[in-house]
Amino acid sequence: MTEIEKPLISVVVPVYNVENYMRKCIDSLLNQTLSDIEIILVDDGATDTSPKICDEYAKEHSCIRVIHKQNGGLGSARNAGMKAARGKYIGFVDSDDYVSVKMYETLWNLAETNEADCAYCEFTRFWNDTVDIIPQPQKAIKVYSGKEILDSYLLDRVGCRPSEKEDCTYGASVWLGIFRNDVIQRSKVEFVSEREFIAEDMIFDIDFIPYCKKIVHTNEALYFYRFNPNSLTTRYVPDRFERNVALCKEMGSRLGRTYNSDAYKMSLDRYFLKITRIALIEEMVHIKDHGWRTVRANMSRIANNSELRQILRNYPIGDLPKAQRVFFGALKRRLYLLVAILIKGNMALKRNR
């Protein structure tokens, strides 16, 4: 790839201590079938050989630009890359992941054909060199425009209606999409720090999507997400639930500025129930490390959260799918042993599939 004055897409890649993984990531971007892209590597104060690798790639490939900055976290690195981006669209890739060679051509064509302000795809997980093989559904493309962006698309990204089996229709990960640069500039959207809020991608979506006139989504899995058991999202974090509660409050504040009614609250409550269930599952996953007495105390702490108690009183739990209905019914009555049994049973079922 050669340097492009006005690239079609700028891909921002935050880099921090990923010397063992980043070459696979960068190579997947250099091999894109869409040639008119620039790659912005943001060295976020890495202390390994990552900065050197960034500079080596930039010397060999004129389409690569490198930003070296003091460590500020993922959100800070993405913001620095966004400010430097010259493309019509901006995409984001985490430096320990990689993408399909056709990802950006696919998203570009979808965005341009549908005159969309952003285009999203799906992902699959991998660890080491093993890709999580999942049945690929028939290709489907959905286009959202006008009122349905707020009435359907954004709300379904936060949380589905009670009767839906899945907690949300689409995951909130910015690395699955491309976003019009001029909309980002006009809306002045930035990433918050993941050190302040545990899911900065969700807040970005809540801030950006209301400015869109049209959004397109494909169910093709074009992004490969590295499953790392030592990452922030998979290792045990004692205050993860409390951090998620703070996130929900911030989401509610921002959604309240977008919607003229409380239409978003049911979706936000479903999201709250999801993060509650995940927190309780995390406790059971680590029961051998902490013991039942500690796990039960943590379950009690979670179950007695004032926001959760209010949701359990008011949310139509009876409309949830059966498994969740039983689970949250037990939690509402503070039947911690039953909650633990339900979690262990579900974990056993998943292992035996």
Side-chain angles (χ1 to χ4, degrees):
M1 291 182 183
T2 57
E3 184 175 11
I4 307 156
E5 210 170 295
K6 290 188 177 180
L8 302 180
I9 300 176
S10 298
V11 183
V12 176
V13 185
V15 175
Y16 183 75
N17 291 0
V18 283
E19 59 186 5
N20 294 327
Y21 307 128
M22 60 184 296
R23 292 185 186 275
K24 186 178 183 71
C25 173
I26 298 171
D27 289 342
S28 74
L29 295 173
L30 289 170
N31 291 325
Q32 288 295 297
T33 54
L34 182 72
S35 58
D36 294 347
I37 68 172
E38 68 170 349
I39 302 165
I40 303 175
L41 305 177
V42 184
D43 162 31
D44 190 40
T47 56
D48 62 358
T49 62
S50 297
K52 182 181 178 182
I53 295 171
C54 288
D55 290 336
E56 287 175 357
Y57 268 95
K59 285 180 181 178
E60 295 175 7
H61 303 276
S62 59
C63 64
I64 294 180
R65 297 158 61 200
V66 179
I67 298 172
H68 295 287
K69 61 182 287 295
Q70 288 186 334
N71 179 254
L74 181 62
S76 170
R78 285 175 174 169
N79 288 336
M82 278 200 304
K83 289 177 183 176
R86 300 175 299 192
K88 181 175 181 179
Y89 295 88
I90 301 178
F92 303 92
V93 175
D94 287 352
S95 49
D96 52 350
D97 300 335
Y98 69 98
V99 300
S100 163
V101 294
K102 65 176 183 175
M103 174 168 169
Y104 286 109
E105 181 176 23
T106 300
L107 293 180
W108 165 262
N109 286 332
L110 286 173
E112 289 293 290
T113 302
N114 293 283
E115 298 181 337
D117 295 312
C118 60
Y120 290 95
C121 64
E122 292 294 335
F123 75 98
T124 189
R125 298 194 313 174
F126 75 98
W127 52 96
N128 298 326
D129 292 322
T130 303
V131 176
D132 190 7
I133 303 299
I134 55 175
Q136 290 298 311
Q138 186 175 354
K139 289 183 183 178
I141 296 169
K142 290 187 178 181
V143 180
Y144 299 83
S145 61
K147 284 186 63 180
E148 63 185 350
I149 288 176
L150 292 185
D151 293 347
S152 174
Y153 186 75
L154 179 54
L155 291 183
D156 284 351
R157 285 183 83 84
V158 175
C160 286
R161 291 154 187 78
S163 60
E164 296 290 333
K165 182 180 179 181
E166 301 298 330
D167 292 308
C168 59
T169 305
Y170 306 119
S173 298
V174 295
W175 28 258
L176 294 177
I178 58 172
F179 310 86
R180 276 190 68 110
N181 199 346
D182 60 350
V183 178
I184 289 175
Q185 301 302 323
R186 185 168 68 250
S187 63
K188 298 181 180 178
V189 173
E190 287 190 327
F191 287 94
V192 297
S193 172
E194 73 283 0
R195 298 169 183 176
E196 183 179 6
F197 297 110
I198 200 166
E200 71 287 349
D201 289 32
M202 178 66 81
I203 293 179
F204 181 91
D205 278 346
I206 289 172
D207 287 349
F208 178 82
I209 287 173
Y211 287 92
C212 296
K213 294 180 180 178
K214 194 176 287 188
I215 294 171
V216 60
H217 186 281
T218 175
N219 65 347
E220 274 195 270
L222 301 172
Y223 190 98
F224 295 88
Y225 168 75
R226 181 181 298 276
F227 178 72
N228 181 356
N230 297 314
S231 73
L232 178 63
T233 55
T234 53
R235 71 173 184 265
Y236 182 79
V237 179
D239 65 342
R240 191 194 299 276
F241 176 73
E242 285 73 21
R243 293 185 66 193
N244 268 311
V245 170
L247 169 67
C248 283
K249 290 180 180 177
E250 183 66 19
M251 288 167 59
S253 175
R254 294 177 186 239
L255 288 166
R257 295 197 292 266
T258 296
Y259 291 87
N260 295 322
S261 68
D262 60 357
Y264 66 90
K265 289 188 177 178
M266 187 72 75
S267 294
L268 188 60
D269 286 350
R270 181 72 186 262
Y271 185 86
F272 200 110
L273 291 176
K274 179 180 78 170
I275 61 106
T276 299
R277 191 175 70 253
I278 291 172
L280 293 169
I281 291 171
E282 183 180 32
E283 292 298 330
M284 290 302 300
V285 167
H286 294 274
I287 192 169
K288 289 184 179 179
D289 301 321
H290 303 152
W292 168 244
R293 183 175 295 181
T294 298
V295 167
R296 189 189 184 286
N298 289 338
M299 283 186 167
S300 177
R301 186 192 83 244
I302 292 167
N304 286 294
N305 172 269
S306 58
E307 287 89 352
L308 176 61
R309 297 316 301 178
Q310 183 175 354
I311 291 171
L312 291 175
R313 284 193 298 270
N314 300 326
Y315 191 86
I317 291 174
D319 293 340
L320 287 168
K322 184 177 179 181
Q324 292 195 39
R325 188 165 68 242
V326 173
F327 180 88
F328 287 110
L331 187 63
K332 185 176 182 178
R333 297 193 299 275
R334 298 181 174 87
L335 302 176
Y336 304 127
L337 182 57
L338 178 55
V339 169
I341 291 170
L342 290 170
I343 292 172
K344 293 291 281 186
N346 187 55
M347 289 166 62
L349 281 174
K350 287 186 176 181
R351 280 197 302 268
N352 293 328
R353 281 179 183 172

